[in-house]
Amino acid sequence: METNNQWFKNATVYQIYPWSFADSNNDGIGDLAGITSRLNYLEDLKVDAIWLCPIYKSPMADFGYDVSDYCDIDPRFGSLTDFDNLVNEAHLRNIKVVMDFVVNHTSNQHDWFLESRSSKTNPKRDWYVWKDAKSDGSPPNNWQSSFGGPAWEFDETTGQYYLHTFLKEQPDLNWENPEVRKAMQDVIRFWFNRGVYGLRVDAAQLISKDTEFQDKVFVEGGPCNQMSPVSNSGFGPNFKEYISAITSVAHEYPGRFCMYESDPYKTWDVSHYLGWYDLIDSGVSAPLYFGIFSLTSNWNARTFGDFIENFQINLPEGAFPVYFFSNHDSARLASRIGEENVRLAAMALLTLPGTRIVYYGDELGMNNVHISPEDSRDLDKDEASNSGGRDGCRTPMQWSSDEYAGFSKHKPWLPVDSNYQEVNIEKMARDKSSILNLYRSLGNLNRTNPVLKHGTYAQVTQLCEEVFIFKRVLGDKQILVLLNFSDREVTFTTPWAEGRLLLSTIPETTDETKDLHYIQLQPHEGWIVEI
Ligand code: BGC
């Protein structure tokens, strides 16, 4: 069982896209005071922590993933005082704060980069990755930016190229330089000293690159052709050392943890994710597991079960998984798996042991919103063409049926989904059968039921092709989770005699004793049963 300092090993983390959560000053952009004003809502959902997408000072070329000052808040979101207030108010409600930590690159407006690009002899020159052109003037190698085009930008002032794995406004830091590592460790201490309890480490595998800077072989037929050469350039020979520079700071403070963004283009490869655990300190950190995230067209019990089982059973002793279905880079869950499946997804996610991340708005079943070219904000047009755009999953939270869904009194930075009169928190909170109330019931069970809170995962032989079943076990207490992934009613027999139904995805009497010899599940129905 985990100790109090390992609270994150069985915890629900709620991901907030600060631009879109709640706008307190009515400028159309969400802010920290807005988040603070909605903490009671998150307390009711029983989330253990909130992960804030970047709130640092930034020119916002990549909506905060281009940081120009790691130790300040962007004025659009408020101030450090607003941040301290948010942390204090969150702690009063038993909610911890997790920061996004952008490690691979800064903004090209960061003082470090402005110094670095000023001359070849500047002391910060080596804080970024500068290389000479090839003899014909072309970029130093064939690496491609994950946002399209070459990953190198020529800088006239000093006549060299700098590396940018993402936008040219996001130059890559050079982690080979010990001063960079030390500066980044100090940034972590700055936030941990302010009461932050965890980090979501952005694009973590890229901090150690191929030190030879060789051309990469183009991976034909990869899921994202642009990405392939660059993603191959991660996991360099010093990866373990640089990652441990981050986790060693987590060890200086009790109860701190790190989640690493791992390669989202290896979703099908369970062993890739298991491999992470050999390279990191798995007592306090884990990769974000993109396995179940990738189940879009393949939503079935067998595939889901394989992703979970292979991963869960092979996790090293003491390690923990981080599960999630959606984030700010991909189409909304409801739009990917279909609205009829979102209740089952909620039950699956919130009954698995480990760190579970709920993306804001998924608890309402929010859809991906079609954003017209005029309203589009994201510069990652490449990603947009692959997945239907990142703007569509970043639209304002739907709080009520008031104008702009109660997010703001001002026209928001991205349009609100036209369904907000129906899909909003105020309305769904009153409807006992809403998906929001299912999330709340799952949150309550996770807080009150020791087996769900602390129990280990146990495999169950599949008894029905359409149904994925697993157990949570604590001492002699057991909970069965049964998930019908299909759109038809299924019946099957089991070896168990009877059990108490704690929750069904289809609102019905809980606390009901069920004969488990013969189980009947409705289409898309899930059960949590105490046996
Ligand atoms: C983040 C993206 C961001 C990129 C560059 C990612 O993986 O999730 O939103 O654009 O890193 O920082």
Side-chain angles (χ1 to χ4, degrees):
M1 191 192 283
E2 70 280 352
T3 64
N4 275 348
N5 277 344
Q6 297 176 325
W7 62 274
F8 46 84
K9 291 194 170 178
N10 260 310
T12 302
V13 177
Y14 186 90
Q15 181 187 352
I16 291 181
Y17 198 70
W19 278 80
S20 283
F21 196 62
D23 176 14
S24 73
N25 61 354
N26 295 310
D27 62 357
I29 296 171
D31 47 51
L32 295 182
I35 299 172
T36 307
S37 72
R38 298 295 188 173
L39 285 171
N40 288 346
Y41 167 72
L42 298 171
E43 186 182 24
D44 278 353
L45 264 186
K46 304 286 187 288
V47 306
D48 300 293
I50 50 176
W51 148 25
L52 305 175
C53 282
I55 50 172
Y56 312 98
K57 211 164 179 194
S58 164
M60 303 289 174
D62 189 16
F63 293 89
Y65 285 94
D66 48 322
V67 178
S68 57
D69 185 346
Y70 285 101
C71 295
D72 206 354
I73 303 291
D74 192 88
R76 292 170 185 85
F77 300 134
S79 62
L80 282 168
T81 308
D82 293 324
F83 180 80
D84 293 342
N85 189 37
L86 167 60
V87 170
N88 290 337
E89 290 295 323
H91 287 177
L92 290 175
R93 292 164 179 81
N94 254 323
I95 297 174
K96 295 184 167 60
V97 175
V98 172
M99 293 283 273
D100 218 303
F101 187 37
V102 188
V103 289
N104 176 65
H105 43 270
T106 66
S107 158
N108 61 351
Q109 299 307 310
H110 196 296
D111 282 347
W112 299 343
F113 187 70
L114 295 178
E115 285 188 46
S116 182
R117 86 187 312 178
S118 66
S119 87
K120 277 185 171 173
T121 53
N122 185 281
K124 294 230 164 36
R125 181 65 171 182
D126 186 49
W127 281 42
Y128 292 83
V129 185
W130 292 97
K131 296 277 173 220
D132 288 331
K134 283 187 178 158
S135 53
D136 63 356
S138 63
N141 65 24
N142 72 348
W143 294 4
Q144 298 290 297
S145 154
S146 75
F147 289 159
W152 297 95
E153 181 73 8
F154 188 70
D155 194 56
E156 298 286 348
T157 320
T158 53
Q160 281 191 310
Y161 280 93
Y162 66 85
L163 180 68
H164 60 91
T165 302
F166 297 90
L167 296 173
K168 67 176 180 356
E169 292 83 359
Q170 294 167 296
D172 281 33
L173 281 163
N174 177 19
W175 276 71
E176 285 186 39
N177 184 325
E179 288 175 20
V180 169
R181 302 203 291 277
K182 158 91 178 50
M184 293 302 263
Q185 288 182 312
D186 287 344
V187 170
I188 303 175
R189 290 188 189 101
F190 177 87
W191 294 104
F192 282 177
N193 286 336
R194 290 196 111 87
V196 165
Y197 266 83
L199 302 174
R200 176 268 186 186
V201 184
D202 185 62
Q205 85 267 13
L206 292 168
I207 59 174
S208 172
K209 304 184 196 332
D210 166 8
T211 47
E212 307 284 305
F213 285 87
Q214 301 163 76
D215 276 356
K216 295 294 165 197
V217 179
F218 188 76
V219 183
E220 265 319 321
C224 174
N225 289 341
Q226 291 282 9
M227 185 71 182
S228 305
V230 132
S231 59
N232 287 348
S233 73
F235 286 122
N238 303 317
F239 177 77
K240 201 168 172 172
E241 184 191 342
Y242 301 166
I243 278 288
S244 84
I246 296 174
T247 13
S248 66
V249 184
H251 276 296
E252 292 170 16
Y253 297 75
R256 276 24 181 217
F257 82 117
C258 303
M259 315 183 278
Y260 301 115
E261 189 194 23
S262 43
D263 192 338
Y265 299 100
K266 289 210 157 80
T267 45
W268 63 91
D269 185 357
V270 176
S271 60
H272 166 77
Y273 291 95
L274 288 169
W276 268 81
Y277 291 91
D278 298 332
L279 301 168
I280 59 174
D281 179 346
S282 56
V284 295
S285 62
L288 291 165
Y289 178 51
F290 278 84
I292 57 172
F293 175 94
S294 68
L295 292 180
T296 302
S297 50
N298 237 345
W299 185 253
N300 63 68
R302 182 53 60 94
T303 317
F304 184 89
D306 284 352
F307 271 129
I308 296 297
E309 264 183 1
N310 289 342
F311 194 55
Q312 197 71 50
I313 300 295
N314 292 305
L315 274 175
E317 182 68 33
F320 63 104
V322 183
Y323 292 120
F324 60 107
F325 277 123
S326 41
N327 67 16
H328 61 291
D329 290 330
S330 203
R332 283 265 177 197
L333 180 65
S335 306
R336 284 186 287 128
I337 64 173
E339 280 174 30
E340 66 285 10
N341 290 311
V342 289
R343 301 177 73 96
L344 193 82
M347 184 173 278
L349 183 66
L350 295 180
T351 49
L352 284 167
T355 312
R356 289 83 46 114
I357 305 176
V358 175
Y359 185 52
Y360 84 97
D362 275 0
E363 75 275 25
L364 310 180
M366 270 172 69
N367 281 312
N368 221 52
V369 179
H370 174 76
I371 306 291
S372 67
E374 311 81 73
D375 286 333
S376 160
R377 304 291 302 261
D378 189 20
L379 288 181
D380 178 12
K381 303 299 179 205
D382 184 54
E383 181 69 17
S385 61
N386 281 320
S387 67
R390 302 194 299 182
D391 288 322
C393 65
R394 298 174 175 180
T395 59
M397 183 60 154
Q398 295 167 204
W399 293 100
S400 69
S401 48
D402 293 345
E403 197 180 15
Y404 305 129
F407 161 76
S408 175
K409 291 193 172 29
H410 184 283
K411 185 172 185 254
W413 73 291
L414 278 176
V416 173
D417 194 348
S418 56
N419 70 4
Y420 75 94
Q421 300 277 351
E422 291 309 310
V423 179
N424 69 62
I425 290 164
E426 204 175 81
K427 184 160 186 186
M428 290 172 120
R430 287 195 300 263
D431 172 3
K432 279 203 163 53
S433 66
S434 69
I435 179 161
L436 174 60
N437 279 317
L438 175 65
Y439 268 90
R440 285 180 169 165
S441 301
L442 286 161
N444 280 329
L445 267 182
N446 272 323
R447 282 279 166 91
T448 54
N449 188 297
V451 187
L452 279 177
K453 180 92 193 117
H454 303 292
T456 52
Y457 179 91
Q459 228 172 338
V460 170
T461 312
Q462 289 317 110
L463 303 165
C464 171
E465 180 63 24
E466 287 87 352
V467 182
F468 175 56
I469 309 177
F470 65 91
K471 269 189 202 168
R472 299 286 304 273
V473 180
L474 185 70
D476 59 356
K477 294 203 162 38
Q478 301 197 3
I479 277 185
L480 273 180
V481 180
L482 304 103
L483 305 164
N484 176 12
F485 277 73
S486 75
D487 55 6
R488 64 181 195 86
E489 184 182 296
V490 293
T491 49
F492 55 101
T493 54
T494 82
W496 305 287
E498 61 178 32
R500 195 162 66 92
L501 178 64
L502 300 181
L503 190 65
S504 161
T505 52
I506 298 177
E508 60 176 52
T509 330
T510 51
D511 258 346
E512 194 180 276
T513 300
K514 292 274 181 193
D515 175 3
L516 299 180
H517 280 132
Y518 182 77
I519 290 185
Q520 191 167 26
L521 291 175
Q522 298 303 306
H524 316 290
E525 187 177 20
W527 278 4
I528 303 175
V529 185
E530 195 170 58
I531 52 173

